Each structure stands twice: as structure tokens, then as C-alpha cells.
Amino acid sequence: MSNTQLQKLELLEWLANIQDQNLINELTKWKDSHYRISIDQYNRELEEANSRIDAGEFVTHEDVKKESKSWLK
């Protein structure tokens, strides 16, 4: 068994025994932030975004700037 495989097994055993919910939440956030979607999923999301833009479902940069000024009041 390679060193990498041993490290993975040790990590799996450690993860299986974690009881600290805060640590589990942080590890889940880290995992989610490092997850890569497939190229097919990426293309689907781009197509969906383009469809929303074509339908006029977007906010312009100028509108966001105007609205954000009201947040400072």
C-alpha cells in the first residue's frame, strides 16, 4: 500500500470519528469550496445564465452602484 493510500485511510478513520459539529461544518464548507463541477454542468449553467440575460432577468452595474449608495445612508 502506498503512502498516499495510507494517508487517505488514516484521514477516513479520523473523519469517521469526529464528534465536533463545528469542525464538521468547517470541513464541509472547505470541501464545497474546493469542489469542481464537470464541464457539462459548467456549460449548462452558462446556458441557463445566458437564457436569463436574454429574458431581461439581470441587474446592470449602474443599478447596483445606485442601490449600493443607499446602503450607506
Side-chain angles (χ1 to χ4, degrees):
M1 189 176 290
S2 74
N3 188 43
T4 299
Q5 289 172 315
L6 285 173
Q7 286 177 311
K8 287 177 170 181
L9 287 173
E10 288 173 3
L11 282 170
L12 286 171
E13 184 177 333
W14 175 73
L15 283 168
N17 292 306
I18 292 175
Q19 300 298 316
D20 182 343
Q21 188 60 50
N22 290 328
L23 179 55
I24 291 168
N25 293 343
E26 289 301 314
L27 289 168
T28 300
K29 281 191 238 175
W30 184 88
K31 177 190 67 81
D32 291 345
S33 71
H34 289 78
Y35 174 75
R36 293 185 179 254
I37 61 173
S38 69
I39 191 72
D40 290 334
Q41 178 66 29
Y42 177 77
N43 287 332
R44 275 193 302 275
E45 290 181 17
L46 284 177
E47 288 171 11
E48 290 169 7
N50 284 331
S51 294
R52 289 192 305 273
I53 291 168
D54 291 342
E57 299 171 8
F58 61 90
V59 178
T60 66
H61 182 248
E62 285 302 315
D63 288 343
V64 171
K65 285 180 11 182
K66 286 176 191 172
E67 179 162 342
S68 66
K69 286 180 183 179
S70 72
W71 302 342
L72 300 174
K73 294 179 181 178

